Amino acid sequence: MAAQPPEQLVDIGAAADIAPGKFVTAKVDGRGYIIARVEDRYYAVEDNCTHEDYPLSYGCLDGGYIKCSLHGSWFSLETGQPQEPPAEEPIATFRLEVRDGRLLLDPARAA
Ligand code: FES
């Protein structure tokens, strides 16, 4: 098994500030992230559609999926996998923890 990179947790904000079914965006070291809440689960994915490098944050959430508003591909927040064309490549997913009510993103580790 390959060695894991060291933990690099970044405090994104209070978990309670994201309503169920909503998302916020965050920038860490110049890279954009979507932090989404589905019921009581939280997800972190890159804010970039793999089809044409378009911000996914212009789209919308439905359940555990986010839709790219440019050509309509849906991506799983859990796996990053596109659910339909035109996107074929998954989006990056990242480890996100809730500790003491705070959302902690690890940009160095895949979810
Ligand atoms: S840019 Fe997202 S589906 Fe085309």
Side-chain angles (χ1 to χ4, degrees):
M1 186 168 131
Q4 288 270 358
E7 192 175 69
Q8 299 177 11
L9 297 179
V10 178
D11 190 327
I12 298 299
D17 286 349
I18 307 176
K22 301 291 185 188
F23 67 83
V24 298
T25 58
K27 273 235 192 254
V28 177
D29 293 334
R31 187 173 190 183
Y33 298 86
I34 289 174
I35 312 296
R37 179 175 177 182
V38 179
E39 296 178 358
D40 285 328
R41 293 198 60 185
Y42 294 85
Y43 300 91
V45 300
E46 66 177 326
D47 184 10
N48 186 55
C49 180
T50 54
H51 179 231
E52 285 190 2
D53 292 331
Y54 187 77
L56 281 174
S57 54
Y58 294 167
C60 59
L61 284 184
D62 188 1
Y65 300 91
I66 189 162
K67 181 183 183 181
C68 177
S69 63
L70 192 53
H71 304 114
S73 285
W74 288 87
F75 295 87
S76 165
L77 295 170
E78 178 102 40
T79 66
Q81 289 293 331
Q83 305 300 298
E84 62 199 55
E88 296 179 346
E89 298 297 319
I91 56 173
T93 62
F94 298 90
R95 190 168 146 234
L96 185 71
E97 289 183 24
V98 182
R99 282 191 204 162
D100 299 325
R102 305 296 298 179
L103 292 165
L104 304 176
L105 168 71
D106 190 339
R109 294 197 196 188

